[in-house]
């Protein structure tokens, strides 16, 4: 059994009053979802809008002992009110009822990445990269809005049943370049008046950046990139990079390099290992400068991983070539060709191009522009994007782009349209999603 399964244990109750079956303002509390350091999370029904929500109720102990904990809730509300991204949990409002303080958010059907890792131990390379890509997209949006999350960890990454990822818990967010940033930062520092326990570091030791461990005055988005690198390490290996007591782990985050991932799991590709190394460099200047830079490399690794998996499966069952071919040319084995291919994949990612890979190993790219409906299928006359796959229908599906978001609709195809392994009739698409039409796989940019 891997270390992560042994080490992660469910939070213990903190004596919070049982609210299941009761009403908090406009919300009917349905069931307990989990407990954390700041309080309790419930599933509730918004009776005014007839929708399920996640209701975070602040711990009474914290309210009575320390006002800054309530300020953290206010801080999170302000952060998620600014953010609007498909990979970030939407905030719906906050309020109080008597001495209960709460935050209402969209309810995500699925589980946390922590729960997923507890059950499975480790994830395949392509799944780990897909999750990393989606979190990087969320961080890129937060960075554009002048925010640093500061607590990226498996518990704060939610995974839906279809593989879609959402980042949650912005209670420790840092506002960069804000006139009130210093004032907000003071809210999470030791408070003598309210007897707040001393805070050694802001964040979670196992996924803490070195600069957070040192309490450096200037923290930027590269701290989140480091934490995400540790999350990627954990997904790929099923183990934490550093072990020990919280203090020992913090010291290791400051002084020891992250273990070589390929020594633990030699099957991991060198390109993915290189991404992990760059993400987890001890000096911020040695990491990716922005999540946008990270997205390019992770996308290239994800495409490479999927191609490798497809070729490997084909070699095992004799249905596909063992080597990925491009444009029917013999596979190149030299490093220059590999670098050219990687450069092409990066350029495709920058241009927001869909990448399609046929069962033969051939690949091609296509775009779907804003306001456009693109028909995909086998028939040249009725399809803007022709899929030369005998299992594809003549008019198989439609991909639409509206307000910067992609969606897909099946056109009554014989073999169905699948997204992340699930057959769909209509679905929203997210970065890193895998569309399957017959034996053709398409990666969403």
């Amino acid at each position: 059994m891997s270390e992560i399964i042994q080490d992660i244990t469910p939070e213990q109750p903190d004596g919070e009053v049982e609210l299941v079956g009761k009403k908090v303002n406009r919300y009917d509390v349905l069931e307990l979802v989990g407990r954390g350091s700041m309080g309790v999370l419930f599933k509730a029904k918004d009776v005014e809008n007839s929708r399920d929500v996640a209701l975070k109720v602040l711990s009474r102990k914290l309210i009575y002992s320390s006002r800054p904990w309530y300020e953290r809730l206010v801080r999170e509300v302000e952060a998620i009110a600014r953010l609007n991204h498909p990979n970030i949990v939407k905030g719906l409002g906050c309020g109080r009822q008597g001495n209960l303080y709460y935050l209402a958010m969209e309810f995500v059907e699925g589980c946390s990445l922590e729960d997923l890792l507890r059950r499975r131990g480790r994830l395949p390379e392509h799944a780990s990269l897909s999750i990393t890509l989606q979190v990087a997209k969320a961080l890129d949006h937060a960075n554009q809005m002048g925010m640093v999350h500061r607590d990226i960890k498996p518990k704060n990454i939610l995974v839906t049943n279809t593989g879609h990822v959402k980042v949650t818990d912005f209670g420790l967010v840092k506002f960069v370049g804000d006139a009130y940033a210093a004032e907000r930062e003071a809210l999470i520092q030791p408070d003598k008046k309210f007897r707040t326990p001393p805070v050694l570091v802001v964040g979670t030791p196992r996924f803490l950046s070195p600069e957070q461990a040192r309490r450096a005055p200037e923290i930027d988005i590269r701290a989140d990139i480091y934490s995400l690198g540790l999350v990627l390490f954990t997904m790929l290996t099923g183990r934490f990079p550093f072990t020990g007591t919280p203090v020992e782990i913090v010291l290791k985050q400051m002084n020891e390099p992250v273990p070589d991932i390929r020594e633990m799991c030699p099957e991991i590709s060198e390109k993915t290992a290189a991404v992990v190394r760059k993400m987890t460099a001890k000096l911020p200047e040695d990491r990716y400068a922005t999540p946008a830079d990270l997205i390019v490399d992770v996308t290239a690794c994800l495409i490479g991983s999927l191609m490798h998996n497809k070729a490997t499966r084909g070699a095992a069952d004799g249905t596909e070539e063992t080597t990925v071919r491009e444009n029917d040319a013999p596979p190149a084995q030299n490093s220059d060709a590999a670098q050219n291919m990687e450069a092409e994949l990066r350029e495709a990612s920058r241009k927001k191009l869909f990448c399609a890979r046929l069962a033969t190993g051939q690949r091609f790219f296509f775009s779907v522009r804003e306001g456009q409906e693109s028909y995909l299928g086998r028939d040249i006359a009725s399809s803007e994007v022709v899929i030369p796959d005998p299992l594809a229908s003549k008019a198989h599906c439609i991909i639409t782009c509206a307000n910067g978001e992609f969606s897909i609709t099946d056109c009554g195809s014989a073999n169905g349209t699948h997204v992340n392994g699930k057959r769909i009739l209509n679905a929203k698409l997210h970065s890193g999603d895998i569309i399957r039409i017959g034996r053709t796989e398409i990666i969403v940019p």
Side-chain angles (χ1 to χ4, degrees):
M1 182 177 290
S2 66
E3 178 188 348
I4 189 168
I5 298 178
Q6 296 173 339
D7 193 77
I8 294 181
T9 54
E11 300 276 358
Q12 296 301 313
D14 63 355
E16 185 67 30
V17 64
E18 180 60 62
L19 292 177
V20 175
K22 298 182 180 179
K23 191 167 185 176
V24 178
N25 287 341
R26 59 195 273 186
Y27 304 105
D28 287 333
V29 181
L30 303 178
E31 61 183 87
L32 175 67
V33 175
R35 300 177 185 268
S37 59
M38 287 183 63
V40 187
L41 188 67
F42 296 96
K43 180 180 180 180
K45 174 73 75 174
D46 182 344
V47 295
E48 291 187 9
N49 295 309
S50 189
R51 63 181 174 186
D52 291 337
V53 302
L55 203 66
K56 178 189 286 187
V57 178
L58 196 64
S59 167
R60 289 185 176 184
K61 288 182 180 179
L62 296 178
I63 295 173
Y64 293 144
S65 65
S66 170
R67 188 186 68 179
W69 284 99
Y70 171 66
E71 302 295 353
R72 286 195 189 186
L73 184 65
V74 175
R75 179 193 195 98
E76 182 172 5
V77 170
E78 181 176 355
I80 61 178
R82 291 189 189 183
L83 300 170
N84 183 19
H85 191 273
N87 293 118
I88 296 176
V89 170
K90 293 179 182 178
L92 303 175
C94 67
R96 63 176 292 185
Q97 176 176 289
N99 57 4
L100 287 178
Y101 293 82
Y102 63 85
L103 167 64
M105 303 169 288
E106 69 168 312
F107 185 79
V108 178
E109 291 284 356
C111 66
S112 71
L113 179 58
E114 179 182 276
D115 291 334
L116 186 62
L117 289 171
R118 185 186 299 127
R119 293 199 305 266
R120 298 184 58 177
R122 58 179 294 200
L123 302 180
E125 184 172 348
H126 70 275
S128 301
L129 289 168
S130 177
I131 290 172
T132 301
L133 177 61
Q134 294 180 68
V135 176
K137 294 275 188 178
L139 295 181
D140 184 47
H141 179 68
N143 185 44
Q144 294 176 30
M145 301 301 293
M147 299 182 201
V148 184
H149 188 284
R150 293 199 297 184
D151 201 17
I152 294 295
K153 59 183 178 181
K155 187 174 183 178
N156 290 338
I157 298 170
L158 306 181
V159 184
T160 71
N161 298 329
T162 59
H164 183 53
V165 169
K166 286 181 178 283
V167 175
T168 188
D169 199 342
F170 281 76
L172 296 181
V173 66
K174 177 176 182 178
F175 297 88
V176 180
D178 189 325
Y180 298 98
E183 179 181 338
R184 291 190 181 91
E185 196 64 15
L187 296 176
I188 61 169
Q189 302 307 320
D191 189 325
K192 295 180 180 179
K193 179 179 178 181
F194 291 95
R195 299 180 181 178
T196 308
V199 179
L200 295 178
V201 293
V202 176
T204 302
R206 289 197 186 280
F207 301 95
L208 196 71
S209 71
E211 55 268 37
Q212 287 174 273
R214 293 189 177 92
R215 298 192 66 186
E218 297 298 328
I219 301 291
D220 60 28
I221 197 65
R222 292 172 295 181
D224 285 346
I225 290 175
Y226 180 93
S227 299
L228 181 55
L230 298 185
V231 172
L232 177 56
F233 180 102
T234 304
M235 288 190 287
L236 290 168
T237 65
R239 297 177 178 273
F240 297 117
F242 301 116
T243 58
T245 66
V247 172
E248 290 171 342
I249 293 172
V250 168
L251 291 174
K252 290 177 181 179
Q253 297 285 20
M254 290 190 288
N255 302 311
E256 296 185 15
V258 173
D260 185 345
I261 198 167
R262 280 171 58 84
E263 288 186 2
M264 302 175 67
C265 301
E267 70 276 12
I268 301 299
S269 70
E270 176 53 39
K271 284 186 172 59
T272 296
V275 168
V276 174
R277 284 195 295 270
K278 189 168 183 178
M279 293 176 74
T280 58
K282 292 300 174 183
L283 297 177
E285 55 266 32
D286 292 335
R287 299 175 207 147
Y288 291 95
T290 66
D293 296 329
L294 172 63
I295 287 167
V296 173
D297 278 3
V298 173
T299 300
C301 287
L302 177 59
I303 293 172
S305 176
L306 289 168
M307 288 180 173
H308 173 75
N309 288 348
K310 192 79 170 181
T312 302
R313 289 197 301 270
D317 61 20
T319 60
E320 297 179 82
E321 297 178 352
T322 60
T323 305
V324 174
R325 296 180 180 271
E326 183 176 3
N327 299 328
D328 282 333
Q333 301 296 331
N334 59 71
S335 60
D336 289 341
Q339 290 175 0
N340 290 339
M341 179 178 176
E342 183 175 349
E344 184 178 338
L345 294 175
R346 292 184 183 209
E347 186 65 19
S349 175
R350 289 192 184 95
K351 293 181 177 179
K352 305 292 185 183
L353 298 178
F354 288 78
C355 176
R357 181 184 182 277
L358 305 177
T360 60
Q362 292 176 280
R363 58 188 173 85
F364 64 90
F365 302 95
F366 65 92
S367 64
V368 180
R369 297 188 178 127
E370 178 66 33
Q372 178 183 354
E373 288 187 348
S374 290
Y375 282 78
L376 283 69
R378 184 165 42 87
D379 185 45
I380 297 177
S382 58
S383 302
E384 285 89 358
V385 180
V386 177
I387 307 294
D389 185 323
L391 298 180
S393 297
K394 290 184 177 181
H396 198 100
C397 62
I398 305 171
I399 295 180
T400 305
C401 182
N403 300 319
E405 295 186 355
F406 296 110
S407 61
I408 188 168
T409 302
D410 184 75
C411 297
S413 62
N415 295 309
T417 301
H418 297 76
V419 177
N420 299 328
K422 182 178 180 181
R423 185 165 181 166
I424 58 92
L425 294 178
N426 183 276
K428 285 186 177 181
L429 296 174
H430 307 282
S431 177
D433 282 352
I434 308 299
I435 304 168
R436 184 165 60 80
I437 298 174
R439 295 170 65 191
T440 300
E441 291 183 341
I442 302 171
I443 301 177
V444 178

mmCIF file of all heavy atoms in Angstrom, residues 325-345:
data_model
loop_
_atom_site.group_PDB
_atom_site.id
_atom_site.type_symbol
_atom_site.label_atom_id
_atom_site.label_comp_id
_atom_site.label_asym_id
_atom_site.label_seq_id
_atom_site.Cartn_x
_atom_site.Cartn_y
_atom_site.Cartn_z
ATOM 1 N N ARG A 325 3.202 7.722 -36.310
ATOM 2 C CA ARG A 325 3.653 8.262 -37.581
ATOM 3 C C ARG A 325 3.016 9.620 -37.824
ATOM 4 O O ARG A 325 1.916 9.899 -37.358
ATOM 5 C CB ARG A 325 3.292 7.320 -38.732
ATOM 6 C CG ARG A 325 3.996 5.966 -38.660
ATOM 7 C CD ARG A 325 3.583 5.087 -39.827
ATOM 8 N NE ARG A 325 4.234 3.792 -39.770
ATOM 9 C CZ ARG A 325 5.402 3.545 -40.317
ATOM 10 N NH1 ARG A 325 6.052 4.507 -40.949
ATOM 11 N NH2 ARG A 325 5.933 2.350 -40.239
ATOM 12 N N GLU A 326 3.692 10.449 -38.572
ATOM 13 C CA GLU A 326 3.186 11.773 -38.895
ATOM 14 C C GLU A 326 3.163 11.942 -40.401
ATOM 15 O O GLU A 326 4.175 11.775 -41.075
ATOM 16 C CB GLU A 326 4.071 12.852 -38.267
ATOM 17 C CG GLU A 326 3.545 14.253 -38.505
ATOM 18 C CD GLU A 326 4.391 15.284 -37.800
ATOM 19 O OE1 GLU A 326 5.402 14.906 -37.195
ATOM 20 O OE2 GLU A 326 4.043 16.460 -37.873
ATOM 21 N N ASN A 327 1.942 12.254 -40.930
ATOM 22 C CA ASN A 327 1.773 12.505 -42.356
ATOM 23 C C ASN A 327 2.258 11.330 -43.208
ATOM 24 O O ASN A 327 2.805 11.510 -44.299
ATOM 25 C CB ASN A 327 2.515 13.775 -42.772
ATOM 26 C CG ASN A 327 1.981 14.979 -42.036
ATOM 27 O OD1 ASN A 327 0.794 15.037 -41.715
ATOM 28 N ND2 ASN A 327 2.838 15.934 -41.741
ATOM 29 N N ASP A 328 2.097 10.101 -42.694
ATOM 30 C CA ASP A 328 2.473 8.882 -43.416
ATOM 31 C C ASP A 328 3.966 8.756 -43.694
ATOM 32 O O ASP A 328 4.394 7.902 -44.462
ATOM 33 C CB ASP A 328 1.728 8.793 -44.756
ATOM 34 C CG ASP A 328 0.301 8.333 -44.533
ATOM 35 O OD1 ASP A 328 0.072 7.633 -43.541
ATOM 36 O OD2 ASP A 328 -0.560 8.688 -45.344
ATOM 37 N N ALA A 329 4.784 9.609 -43.105
ATOM 38 C CA ALA A 329 6.227 9.517 -43.314
ATOM 39 C C ALA A 329 6.805 8.512 -42.333
ATOM 40 O O ALA A 329 6.251 8.281 -41.269
ATOM 41 C CB ALA A 329 6.880 10.874 -43.089
ATOM 42 N N PRO A 330 7.951 7.873 -42.664
ATOM 43 C CA PRO A 330 8.579 6.956 -41.720
ATOM 44 C C PRO A 330 8.911 7.668 -40.425
ATOM 45 O O PRO A 330 9.273 8.843 -40.440
ATOM 46 C CB PRO A 330 9.851 6.516 -42.462
ATOM 47 C CG PRO A 330 9.570 6.767 -43.896
ATOM 48 C CD PRO A 330 8.681 7.955 -43.934
ATOM 49 N N PRO A 331 8.760 7.003 -39.305
ATOM 50 C CA PRO A 331 9.013 7.656 -38.029
ATOM 51 C C PRO A 331 10.476 8.065 -37.885
ATOM 52 O O PRO A 331 11.373 7.266 -38.099
ATOM 53 C CB PRO A 331 8.638 6.585 -36.985
ATOM 54 C CG PRO A 331 8.769 5.287 -37.721
ATOM 55 C CD PRO A 331 8.395 5.576 -39.132
ATOM 56 N N ALA A 332 10.675 9.317 -37.519
ATOM 57 C CA ALA A 332 12.037 9.812 -37.329
ATOM 58 C C ALA A 332 12.521 9.445 -35.945
ATOM 59 O O ALA A 332 11.793 9.535 -34.976
ATOM 60 C CB ALA A 332 12.074 11.321 -37.514
ATOM 61 N N GLN A 333 13.782 9.064 -35.841
ATOM 62 C CA GLN A 333 14.335 8.636 -34.568
ATOM 63 C C GLN A 333 15.347 9.624 -34.001
ATOM 64 O O GLN A 333 15.810 9.453 -32.884
ATOM 65 C CB GLN A 333 15.019 7.266 -34.730
ATOM 66 C CG GLN A 333 14.100 6.169 -35.236
ATOM 67 C CD GLN A 333 12.998 5.863 -34.265
ATOM 68 O OE1 GLN A 333 13.172 6.037 -33.068
ATOM 69 N NE2 GLN A 333 11.863 5.433 -34.775
ATOM 70 N N ASN A 334 15.700 10.673 -34.772
ATOM 71 C CA ASN A 334 16.726 11.582 -34.279
ATOM 72 C C ASN A 334 16.134 12.652 -33.398
ATOM 73 O O ASN A 334 14.938 12.932 -33.428
ATOM 74 C CB ASN A 334 17.486 12.208 -35.460
ATOM 75 C CG ASN A 334 16.556 12.970 -36.380
ATOM 76 O OD1 ASN A 334 16.066 14.026 -36.014
ATOM 77 N ND2 ASN A 334 16.290 12.416 -37.557
ATOM 78 N N SER A 335 16.984 13.286 -32.608
ATOM 79 C CA SER A 335 16.534 14.274 -31.636
ATOM 80 C C SER A 335 15.979 15.516 -32.309
ATOM 81 O O SER A 335 15.085 16.170 -31.785
ATOM 82 C CB SER A 335 17.692 14.643 -30.700
ATOM 83 O OG SER A 335 18.773 15.185 -31.435
ATOM 84 N N ASP A 336 16.508 15.889 -33.489
ATOM 85 C CA ASP A 336 16.009 17.073 -34.182
ATOM 86 C C ASP A 336 14.537 16.901 -34.545
ATOM 87 O O ASP A 336 13.732 17.827 -34.393
ATOM 88 C CB ASP A 336 16.824 17.320 -35.457
ATOM 89 C CG ASP A 336 18.235 17.814 -35.141
ATOM 90 O OD1 ASP A 336 18.432 18.300 -34.004
ATOM 91 O OD2 ASP A 336 19.103 17.710 -36.008
ATOM 92 N N ALA A 337 14.174 15.722 -35.031
ATOM 93 C CA ALA A 337 12.779 15.470 -35.397
ATOM 94 C C ALA A 337 11.888 15.527 -34.162
ATOM 95 O O ALA A 337 10.773 16.058 -34.209
ATOM 96 C CB ALA A 337 12.653 14.113 -36.083
ATOM 97 N N ALA A 338 12.359 14.969 -33.061
ATOM 98 C CA ALA A 338 11.574 15.001 -31.825
ATOM 99 C C ALA A 338 11.375 16.429 -31.345
ATOM 100 O O ALA A 338 10.292 16.811 -30.900
ATOM 101 C CB ALA A 338 12.270 14.174 -30.741
ATOM 102 N N GLN A 339 12.429 17.236 -31.459
ATOM 103 C CA GLN A 339 12.318 18.633 -31.044
ATOM 104 C C GLN A 339 11.366 19.391 -31.947
ATOM 105 O O GLN A 339 10.584 20.236 -31.493
ATOM 106 C CB GLN A 339 13.698 19.280 -31.040
ATOM 107 C CG GLN A 339 14.611 18.771 -29.933
ATOM 108 C CD GLN A 339 16.008 19.355 -30.028
ATOM 109 O OE1 GLN A 339 16.299 20.141 -30.911
ATOM 110 N NE2 GLN A 339 16.865 18.966 -29.104
ATOM 111 N N ASN A 340 11.407 19.101 -33.261
ATOM 112 C CA ASN A 340 10.495 19.759 -34.184
ATOM 113 C C ASN A 340 9.042 19.409 -33.883
ATOM 114 O O ASN A 340 8.157 20.261 -33.939
ATOM 115 C CB ASN A 340 10.834 19.360 -35.624
ATOM 116 C CG ASN A 340 12.148 19.955 -36.094
ATOM 117 O OD1 ASN A 340 12.621 20.947 -35.539
ATOM 118 N ND2 ASN A 340 12.747 19.339 -37.099
ATOM 119 N N MET A 341 8.815 18.133 -33.554
ATOM 120 C CA MET A 341 7.463 17.703 -33.222
ATOM 121 C C MET A 341 6.977 18.398 -31.958
ATOM 122 O O MET A 341 5.842 18.876 -31.885
ATOM 123 C CB MET A 341 7.440 16.187 -33.034
ATOM 124 C CG MET A 341 6.068 15.628 -32.660
ATOM 125 S SD MET A 341 6.113 13.839 -32.515
ATOM 126 C CE MET A 341 4.439 13.522 -31.962
ATOM 127 N N GLU A 342 7.847 18.482 -30.955
ATOM 128 C CA GLU A 342 7.465 19.143 -29.712
ATOM 129 C C GLU A 342 7.174 20.621 -29.947
ATOM 130 O O GLU A 342 6.217 21.176 -29.400
ATOM 131 C CB GLU A 342 8.587 18.993 -28.674
ATOM 132 C CG GLU A 342 8.229 19.587 -27.323
ATOM 133 C CD GLU A 342 9.296 19.311 -26.281
ATOM 134 O OE1 GLU A 342 10.199 18.502 -26.542
ATOM 135 O OE2 GLU A 342 9.215 19.929 -25.206
ATOM 136 N N ALA A 343 7.988 21.269 -30.786
ATOM 137 C CA ALA A 343 7.763 22.678 -31.097
ATOM 138 C C ALA A 343 6.416 22.873 -31.786
ATOM 139 O O ALA A 343 5.699 23.846 -31.527
ATOM 140 C CB ALA A 343 8.897 23.199 -31.979
ATOM 141 N N GLU A 344 6.079 21.936 -32.668
ATOM 142 C CA GLU A 344 4.794 22.032 -33.363
ATOM 143 C C GLU A 344 3.635 21.886 -32.395
ATOM 144 O O GLU A 344 2.621 22.594 -32.487
ATOM 145 C CB GLU A 344 4.727 20.943 -34.438
ATOM 146 C CG GLU A 344 3.477 21.008 -35.297
ATOM 147 C CD GLU A 344 3.469 19.953 -36.382
ATOM 148 O OE1 GLU A 344 4.551 19.463 -36.739
ATOM 149 O OE2 GLU A 344 2.368 19.631 -36.864
ATOM 150 N N LEU A 345 3.761 20.977 -31.421
ATOM 151 C CA LEU A 345 2.708 20.789 -30.437
ATOM 152 C C LEU A 345 2.560 22.025 -29.553
ATOM 153 O O LEU A 345 1.453 22.428 -29.204
ATOM 154 C CB LEU A 345 3.013 19.558 -29.575
ATOM 155 C CG LEU A 345 2.987 18.208 -30.305
ATOM 156 C CD1 LEU A 345 3.426 17.101 -29.362
ATOM 157 C CD2 LEU A 345 1.605 17.935 -30.852
#
